Amino acid sequence: MDKSLRAGRLATFAYFTLNGFLMGMWIVHIPGIEHRVGISHALLGWLLLLLGAGAFAGMQAAGPLTDRFGARTVVPLGAALCSAAVVLPGLATDAWTLGAALLALGVANGCLDVSMNAHAVQVEHRYRQPVMSAFHAAFSIGGVLASLAGTRTLGRHWSPVTTLGAAALVGLAVTVLAAPALLRPADTEGVMAEAGAPVVTGRRTTSRRVWGLATLALMIMLCEGVANDWSTLHLRDVLDAGPATAALAYGAFATAMTAGRLLADRVAARVGPAAVLRHGASLAALGLTAAALSPWIPLALLGWAVFGAGLSGCVPQLFSAAGHADQGAAGTNVSRVAGLGYLGMLAGPAVIGPLTHVLPLNLTFFLPVLCCVVAAAAAGIVRPARHVPIRLEAEAV
């Protein structure tokens, strides 16, 4: 294995970790910024939609730009923009400026998200074995680092603008240091052509297979959104758990998901991506069903953990399959999958809320259970073509 490939992989880890860290720093400062700006929870909810809209727009723009100029160019640009934009919410003085700041942060985050995933696909091509899930685990680790840093700075009563400004400086430093190690386009084109990866000439259109992958990403990330926003409320409102115990529900989910992503690449290399998606989604459906129907807090916590473990390897398989579908349109294809997936992440919590007017909260969880069942049934869509240079020989039945 040459040094440039190893360096490129480490740089990709750095950008995924940085992305998770920057977004995590914004999240831990939401209460302080909300208080400083003087807005209600309801208005904050509407403003957060601007963050999602900006991210979706940034993803759709970054895909074609990455295909045209290369991930080596777009990834550092996206990282620099995201680093600079993370300080903007801390500078907001009213709802209008906060909305503009969140829109800008969303666009920058979307650009970094798609371009770094496109580069991850290039690294995976060079390695000729699954490595995508570990990159997504690095994003989660970045969020943990942000939580630890935020707890420390908030404990010292640092203002949001000070902390976010420091995070921006860290982000810019990481961007500059990691950029030279990113793979050059010539490094990836040669190995792809040598291995017979698909090349499309002329005008490209997004294939039905890529839209199918995007639809599954929407379903799986809808499930993640439900866990992020409703797991703690489930234990508190349905099982009457105390605040500290209720918080363990999301902790169990997030910890299991991070651990699962660290292991998923080895599993995918052994049994194939379709098996990871099929069995992972099935396990997630089983875990959430147990959590929803459990009358006991320990079993519910176990259910949320199993739900996270099952989902952990699913989205990376979808991103990887989209990126490998066409070597010349990897960025665009990843942007389609990431864009619809992000919409699912936003839609999940929003859909559950209205359903609670007609069903108990725990029974509304059978909507994401159904999404998991559909994903398991359609898992064959991620099975790679024989000419794609990834060792995924053993496909589980």
Side-chain angles (χ1 to χ4, degrees):
M1 184 185 302
D2 60 81
K3 292 183 179 180
S4 65
L5 177 55
R6 186 179 294 108
R9 186 180 186 185
L10 290 175
T12 310
F13 275 121
Y15 283 112
F16 270 83
T17 304
L18 175 62
N19 191 202
F21 175 75
L22 292 174
M23 296 310 296
M25 290 300 288
W26 146 247
I27 290 171
V28 300
H29 285 88
I30 287 177
I33 292 173
E34 180 188 36
H35 177 73
R36 180 177 183 273
V37 174
I39 57 176
S40 65
H41 293 330
L43 181 54
L44 175 64
W46 286 107
L47 292 178
L48 288 174
L49 292 178
L50 292 174
L51 179 69
F56 182 80
M59 288 174 182
Q60 302 315 303
L65 288 175
T66 301
D67 291 334
R68 181 173 182 180
F69 298 106
R72 184 180 171 87
T73 299
V74 181
V75 171
L77 178 60
L81 289 174
C82 199
S83 298
V86 77
V87 75
L88 296 179
L91 297 171
T93 56
D94 54 32
W96 292 102
T97 53
L98 180 58
L102 293 179
L103 183 64
L105 179 59
V107 171
N109 177 58
C111 289
L112 176 57
D113 191 307
V114 164
S115 59
M116 70 184 185
N117 272 286
H119 187 265
V121 169
Q122 295 175 4
V123 173
E124 193 170 58
H125 265 297
R126 289 284 304 275
Y127 266 84
R128 305 192 182 204
Q129 65 184 33
V131 295
M132 181 69 77
S133 293
F135 293 138
H136 284 249
F139 178 90
S140 300
I141 292 170
V144 172
L145 294 176
S147 176
L148 296 174
T151 298
R152 191 165 184 82
T153 57
L154 288 170
R156 294 183 176 184
H157 304 290
W158 287 22
S159 67
V161 68
T162 300
T163 307
L164 293 176
L169 292 177
V170 170
L172 291 173
V174 171
T175 299
V176 171
L177 292 174
L182 294 173
L183 299 180
R184 299 178 183 277
D187 295 337
T188 57
E189 289 171 1
V191 71
M192 291 177 188
E194 179 184 337
V199 181
V200 179
T201 58
R203 184 175 180 273
R204 289 180 169 88
T205 58
T206 303
S207 68
R208 286 187 293 180
R209 177 171 180 251
V210 171
W211 284 120
L213 293 168
T215 301
L216 291 184
L218 184 150
M219 293 182 179
I220 294 297
M221 293 181 73
L222 180 149
C223 296
E224 291 186 26
V226 169
N228 292 343
D229 285 24
W230 293 99
S231 55
T232 297
L233 288 172
H234 166 239
L235 258 71
R236 190 188 71 187
D237 295 348
V238 177
L239 299 179
D240 295 321
T245 302
L248 292 176
Y250 175 70
F253 171 83
T255 301
M257 173 166 279
T258 303
R261 284 180 170 171
L262 289 172
L263 298 173
D265 288 329
R266 292 184 180 182
V267 176
R270 181 178 296 273
V271 302
V276 171
L277 179 57
R278 182 183 304 115
H279 298 309
S282 299
L283 184 64
L286 179 63
L288 187 54
T289 298
L293 298 181
S294 173
W296 305 295
I297 291 175
L299 180 58
L301 289 173
L302 177 61
W304 283 111
V306 172
F307 186 49
L311 291 180
S312 62
C314 294
V315 167
Q317 309 312 314
L318 298 171
F319 277 36
S320 178
H324 292 306
D326 175 6
Q327 70 176 56
T332 299
N333 290 339
V334 169
S335 74
R336 300 290 186 261
V337 174
L340 275 188
Y342 198 84
L343 289 181
M345 181 81 78
L346 296 174
V351 169
I352 294 297
L355 285 178
T356 60
H357 293 300
V358 294
L359 291 171
L361 175 60
N362 59 317
L363 296 185
T364 65
F365 293 154
F366 283 97
L367 173 62
V369 167
L370 178 61
C371 290
C372 290
V373 171
V374 172
I381 195 173
V382 302
R383 186 178 292 110
R386 292 181 180 178
H387 52 255
V388 176
I390 302 205
R391 293 200 308 265
L392 301 173
E393 301 90 355
E395 188 62 46
V397 177

